[in-house]
Amino acid sequence: MIECKILPTSLSVDDVYQSVVDPTCGGICLFVGTARDHNKGKSVIRLEFEVYESMAEKLLSEIATECASKYGVRRVVIHHRSGPVGITDIAVIIGVSSAHRAAAFDACEYAIDQLKERVPIWKREFLTDGSYWVGTRP
Amino acid sequence: MYISTMRIKYFGIVREVVGSDDIAITPGMTVGEVRALLLDRYPDLASLKSLMIARNQAYALDDEVLGPADELAIIPPVSGG
């Protein structure tokens, strides 16, 4: 089972958890990415995420499918915020369930690593003296 | 007069650079030609870490030829998660 969503509202860890619980699975791994208050030595006030929604959902589903085929996990759920995110708010939740814990850990890590490399989502950081798009220049 | 018959989406810093300009992108062009046209018109884009082009929600190779119903998107470096 795979579920990938871009949501403009607060994400819920419990919603993701309930979606990956499975009677055949003894291990559930959840990754939660939150907005932190500093980056490269500067204070961050808030974030905003711009998303190419149709392609992002498509690529998230591809990544989730890869998790299942590479690691044999049973369920993969990925939720990502669009729009403004305050400090400590949740930007992304990845939930994975599998029969045993090793595959769940590995698949969860794979999913967030691939998301950060491939999925068309852009983070804008707001500092005290302005804002900028993260990671645009070498 | 530029008439763009293609649906083109811009995101992030590319959206800010291009603004509401019309770009002459037409069916029959290759993805590589689109890239060259953008870099020529907006030299600042060359300083980005990457500039990918997506065609119908998939990353495209430069030799792909654009069709009239294609949706193009110009993808600057991603930073989700």
Side-chain angles (χ1 to χ4, degrees):
Chain A
M1 188 285 280
I2 277 159
E3 178 195 291
C4 298
K5 290 185 184 172
I6 304 295
L7 297 168
T9 51
S10 293
L11 303 185
S12 160
V13 174
D14 196 58
D15 283 356
V16 173
Y17 178 80
Q18 293 301 334
S19 297
V20 295
V21 166
D22 187 292
T24 66
C25 295
I28 293 174
C29 205
L30 295 173
F31 171 79
V32 179
T34 60
R36 67 170 191 276
D37 63 4
H38 65 278
N39 194 20
K40 298 185 179 170
K42 294 199 162 192
S43 282
V44 177
I45 297 169
R46 63 185 176 88
L47 304 180
E48 271 185 21
F49 286 102
E50 184 171 334
V51 184
Y52 179 15
E53 293 205 13
S54 56
M55 185 174 171
E57 288 191 354
K58 191 169 161 203
L59 289 203
L60 288 175
S61 294
E62 280 179 21
I63 292 168
T65 302
E66 288 162 21
C67 284
S69 61
K70 281 170 80 75
Y71 301 104
V73 296
R74 179 84 186 190
R75 297 181 186 233
V76 182
V77 172
I78 305 175
H79 289 181
H80 199 294
R81 266 308 282 275
S82 63
V85 173
I87 302 305
T88 75
D89 284 352
I90 298 174
V92 60
I93 307 173
I94 298 176
V96 178
S97 57
S98 68
H100 302 285
R101 69 186 185 282
F105 276 123
D106 288 345
C108 202
E109 183 177 36
Y110 175 84
I112 185 61
D113 287 350
Q114 291 297 309
L115 185 159
K116 289 173 86 67
E117 246 185 71
R118 285 157 63 180
V119 181
I121 297 173
W122 297 271
K123 180 188 306 176
R124 189 177 193 112
E125 272 183 4
F126 288 78
L127 315 173
T128 48
D129 57 354
S131 66
Y132 73 102
W133 294 102
V134 171
T136 49
R137 303 193 192 271
Chain B
M1 178 173 69
Y2 287 125
I3 300 172
S4 172
T5 63
M6 314 276 311
R7 286 169 290 160
I8 305 158
K9 292 175 177 284
Y10 305 103
F11 292 96
I13 198 159
V14 174
R15 182 172 49 73
E16 291 173 3
V17 167
V18 173
S20 54
D21 287 352
D22 275 332
I23 315 286
I25 294 177
T26 53
M29 288 176 74
T30 65
V31 169
E33 285 166 347
V34 172
R35 181 193 304 284
L37 194 155
L38 287 169
L39 289 172
D40 183 66
R41 179 107 172 237
Y42 307 101
D44 278 355
L45 295 181
S47 67
L48 296 182
K49 200 159 77 177
S50 64
L51 190 69
M52 301 288 287
I53 294 176
R55 183 168 152 256
N56 302 324
Q57 296 99 43
Y59 289 112
L61 298 172
D62 278 2
D63 61 358
E64 288 181 36
V65 177
L66 305 186
D70 283 351
E71 176 175 286
L72 276 195
I74 314 302
I75 311 269
V78 300
S79 48

